[in-house]
Amino acid sequence: MVIVQICVGSSCYLRGAPKIIAKLQELVTDHGLSNRFTLKGSFCMEQCTKGGVTLLIGDDLLTGVVYEDIPDLFESKILPALRS
Ligand code: FES
């Protein structure tokens, strides 16, 4: 099971968290991995000054994430964890 937390605090929300949530759900569904993936919304992770959206993938804190990063992030970080 892979747990991804995405910040939906004010800054991250305005910087595109809803679009990122939708894209992550789409990618996970397309790969038939929904039952191994949990996506949780989080309050502000106190990384607002770093731009973009903040995500926590397992123990890996990622800041400044934008929508365009999601396909690569999915391939490099989430997919390997889901398959392990
Ligand atoms: S609102 Fe997302 S880190 Fe602060």
Side-chain angles (χ1 to χ4, degrees):
M1 175 66 70
V2 174
I3 298 175
V4 174
Q5 288 188 56
I6 180 164
C7 179
V8 290
S10 305
S11 293
C12 289
Y13 189 88
L14 292 173
R15 289 175 182 152
K19 263 178 82 178
I20 289 176
I21 290 169
K23 187 64 181 175
L24 282 172
Q25 287 173 330
E26 176 194 313
L27 288 167
V28 168
T29 302
D30 287 353
H31 285 78
L33 296 165
S34 309
N35 59 341
R36 304 202 55 211
F37 177 83
T38 299
L39 184 60
K40 296 180 176 177
S42 162
F43 291 116
C44 176
M45 295 182 185
E46 300 182 4
Q47 305 294 324
C48 307
T49 57
K50 305 210 172 138
V53 175
T54 306
L55 272 85
L56 188 62
I57 301 175
D59 294 330
D60 203 358
L61 183 68
L62 304 172
T63 59
V65 176
V66 295
Y67 178 79
E68 290 72 22
D69 296 334
I70 295 304
D72 281 350
L73 257 180
F74 184 78
E75 291 287 332
S76 65
K77 296 212 177 274
I78 298 174
L79 212 45
L82 283 168
R83 289 185 169 148
S84 65

